[in-house]
Amino acid sequence: MTNIICITCPKGCHLQVDENNDYAVTGNNCPRGAEYGKNELLHPVRTITSTVRITGAAIPRLPVKTDKPLPKEHMFDCMDLINSLNIQAPVQVGQVLAADLFGTGVNLVSAKTL
C-alpha cells in the first residue's frame, strides 16, 4: 500500500493505492483522485513551467511551459534543454520552441508574447 497526496485540486486528498489489488485507490473525494493515484504509481507525469533566455525583448526571460504533461523521467532532461535555450524575439504566446521533447509528443511552448 502506497500513501500519496492528490494534486489534481486544492483539496489534497490523502490517497492509499493498493498495488496488490490492481492499483485500487481509496481516500479520494472525486474520480480524478482515483485516476491520479493509479497513474502516479504506473506512469507519473508533470507539466513543466520555467523561463528561458530571450534576446531582443524588453525583459531577459521568457516564461515557457510544456503543452501537455511530460513523463516524470524526462524532467531533468527537459530542464537541461530549457537552460540551454536562447530564444530570439519576437515570440508569440503558444509558439512551439522545442517540438516533440524526447519523442513523447510533448512540446515546449511560449507562455507570453514578447
Side-chain angles (χ1 to χ4, degrees):
M1 183 82 65
T2 301
N3 296 308
I4 59 174
I5 296 175
C6 182
I7 60 171
T8 58
C9 77
K11 277 186 170 182
C13 296
H14 291 261
L15 307 177
Q16 298 81 39
V17 184
D18 187 356
E19 301 94 331
N20 299 324
N21 189 18
D22 194 32
Y23 296 89
V25 178
T26 56
N28 55 303
N29 288 319
C30 71
R32 292 186 310 165
E35 181 181 351
Y36 172 80
K38 186 173 183 175
N39 288 340
E40 186 64 13
L41 293 185
L42 292 175
H43 188 65
V45 294
R46 297 290 185 272
T47 298
I48 307 295
T49 60
S50 188
T51 61
V52 298
R53 287 184 300 272
I54 186 167
T55 55
I59 57 176
R61 305 290 293 184
L62 170 70
V64 296
K65 66 180 195 114
T66 54
D67 63 352
K68 294 182 274 197
L70 183 71
K72 198 172 175 182
E73 63 264 20
H74 293 299
M75 284 177 52
F76 289 109
D77 296 329
C78 183
M79 289 308 302
D80 288 342
L81 172 69
I82 287 170
N83 290 333
S84 73
L85 292 176
N86 190 1
I87 305 300
Q88 179 65 43
V91 177
Q92 299 298 312
V93 67
Q95 181 176 330
V96 175
L97 305 174
D100 192 23
L101 297 172
F102 318 107
T104 61
V106 177
N107 301 313
L108 183 69
V109 298
S110 170
K112 185 173 184 162
T113 297
L114 288 178

